[in-house]
């Protein structure tokens, strides 16, 4: 075999090795991009789910508070405070609590959603990659929800004949006033307080959707352009 032919085969060998290395690098980068994209999509879903849980917990509190003052059934008052304690991490958080929970019958709910460890919604949110602005929106919403709790608790006290004095403490005792409790939880002030809870969540959803949607679109475009 002459030297020219040897050089040719040597060139082919080097070219094949180079091509193999380039293809390997591209496959590695593609897999890395796929993993990053999968993680980004999972994080987006988790962040949306936790924000929606904040919204759902506020709606659950409203539903239980209003049902209690109308029916005087203590089951709904108990569920109200359970919802609040789960959100604040005071009692165990049920398994898959972000799914359907309170709308299930008791036996089905307890079977499908057994208790796990107690952890506050705030702590669950802190573990996710929200931006500082996004977390602030959720903090404002939760703070406003806690303010609404004060109005709901006032209605509960009225059901028992306890009312606020000038200092805002429940030292005034009288006849239970169910009509006042119902009126309070359906008042314009109550609806305005609900608006103050939901508006930051709506803003959050829009901003998070735009931010993470752009990141995912860029990831998909990068994968297509790679090959």
């Amino acid at each position: 075999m002459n030297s020219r032919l040897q050089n040719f085969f040597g060139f082919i060998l080097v070219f094949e090795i180079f091509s193999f290395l380039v293809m390997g690098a591209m496959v590695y980068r593609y897999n890395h991009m796929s993993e990053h994209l999968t993680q980004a999509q999972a994080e987006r879903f988790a962040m949306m789910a936790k924000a929606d849980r904040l919204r759902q917990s506020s709606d659950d509190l409203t539903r239980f508070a209003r049902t209690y003052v109308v029916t005087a059934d203590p089951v709904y008052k108990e569920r109200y405070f359970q919802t609040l304690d789960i959100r604040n991490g005071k009692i165990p958080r049920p398994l898959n609590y972000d799914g359907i929970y309170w709308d299930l019958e008791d036996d089905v709910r307890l079977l499908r959603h057994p208790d796990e460890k107690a952890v506050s919604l705030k702590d669950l949110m802190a573990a996710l990659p929200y931006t500082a602005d996004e977390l602030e929106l959720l903090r404002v919403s939760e703070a406003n929800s806690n303010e609404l709790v004060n109005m709901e608790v006032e209605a509960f006290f009225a059901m028992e004949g306890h009312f606020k004095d000038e200092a805002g403490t429940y030292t005034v005792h009288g006849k239970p006033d169910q009509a006042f409790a119902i009126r309070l939880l359906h008042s314009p002030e109550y609806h305005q307080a609900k608006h103050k809870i939901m508006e930051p969540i709506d803003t959050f959803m829009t901003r998070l959707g735009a931010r993470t949607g752009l990141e995912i679109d860029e990831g998909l475009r990068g994968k297509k352009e790679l090959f």
Side-chain angles (χ1 to χ4, degrees), residues 12 27 40 51 100 164 188 209:
I12 293 297
V27 169
I100 306 301
K164 288 182 178 180

Side-chain angles (χ1 to χ4, degrees), residues 95 106-114:
L95 175 67
D106 290 353
D107 55 342
V108 176
R109 184 176 69 251
L110 295 175
L111 177 65
R112 296 183 182 179
H113 302 274

